[in-house]
Each structure stands twice: as C-alpha cells, then as structure tokens.
Amino acid sequence: MSRSARAERVERVFTAFDDHDADGVVTEMAEEMTFDDPMQDEPLTRDEFYEVCVGFFHVFPDARWETERLLADEDDAVAVQGTFHGTFEEPFHGMEPTGESVALPTMSLFTVSADGITAWRDYWDMATFREQLGVA
C-alpha cells in the first residue's frame, strides 16, 4: 500500500470523526484492529471502539479534529499531530459535564495495512485534558 493511500485512509477517519459518523470511522479499520489512549486500561477492539465513538459524540456534541501535520513513513505507519476540540456536555468516565470547551493537543500513531487500520494509538496529556474540562 502506498504512502498516499495510507494517508488518505487516515484522513477519511478524521473526516468521519468530524461528521460524527462512527460507522464511517470504523469502516477504515481492519477487523482485528486495536485502539488505545490514556483513558483506556487496555486496548479496545474494533467493536468496543465503535461503541466508544458513539458515546463520545454524545459527550462532546461539537467534537472535531484539527489536523496540523500528517506524515506517512515508507512501511506501515501514519502519524498525525493535531488538536481535538469539543464541549463537555455529558458524563464521561466518572466526570460530570461542565460545559467547558477543550482544545487538546494530540499525537496519533496509526498502523495501516491493505486490510485497514490495524492499530491506532493516541497520545495526549491527561492533566491538560482534565484542566480544560474544569475537573482538575
């Protein structure tokens, strides 16, 4: 799979995310994919990740992703530097909604094959997230 094809697959994920289209997000995932970020105790399966997306779009009804830089390497990796934007409107991981907006810097690393995205790992700072949510 070419660099540009892998990059386009990841770009489609973020387009679907911005459209709050959980089906569109997971369409780009391989059947055996995993998702991991600082909120997860263990990596999520594709089906678990779908459920998280559906819930996340309720928690942050204006959720959107701002891609600042996207890089695809020669092998199977795509890295995305970006900012997550959203307003905290519903309970989330034991935190009560505050109505506060976030602009959270993130780094996402994807492993992409011809079958789809096989791994998605998000990196961001939990303290910054909690502070911006008003729950620190």
Side-chain angles (χ1 to χ4, degrees):
M1 182 173 224
S2 71
R3 281 185 193 192
S4 62
R6 285 183 284 112
E8 289 168 6
R9 184 176 292 262
V10 170
E11 287 171 341
R12 287 192 301 268
V13 166
F14 289 118
T15 297
F17 181 90
D18 287 348
D19 292 341
H20 297 188
D21 178 7
D23 291 315
V25 171
V26 298
T27 294
E28 301 301 332
M29 309 299 165
E31 287 296 321
E32 300 299 319
M33 72 83 67
T34 60
F35 172 82
D36 198 12
D37 77 359
M39 296 295 291
Q40 309 310 318
D41 293 328
E42 295 182 17
L44 302 176
T45 66
R46 183 177 192 245
D47 291 341
E48 292 168 332
F49 181 62
Y50 174 83
E51 295 301 324
V52 166
C53 286
V54 170
F56 195 79
F57 297 143
H58 290 287
V59 172
F60 297 95
D62 59 348
R64 69 181 176 83
W65 188 272
E66 178 184 355
T67 298
E68 293 150 13
R69 184 177 223 182
L70 186 146
L71 302 168
D73 75 3
E74 294 177 10
D75 297 317
D76 60 0
V78 176
V80 180
Q81 176 186 354
T83 302
F84 163 71
H85 299 272
T87 306
F88 186 26
E89 298 289 346
E90 296 288 333
F92 184 62
H93 284 268
M95 297 178 283
E96 290 300 315
T98 61
E100 295 293 328
S101 294
V102 298
L104 183 68
T106 64
M107 187 68 191
S108 300
L109 183 59
F110 296 85
T111 305
V112 184
S113 74
D115 294 331
I117 294 168
T118 58
W120 177 352
R121 174 71 172 118
D122 273 351
Y123 298 90
W124 44 269
D125 183 66
M126 180 69 79
T128 299
F129 184 60
R130 292 178 63 83
E131 181 179 309
Q132 288 186 15
L133 290 179
V135 298

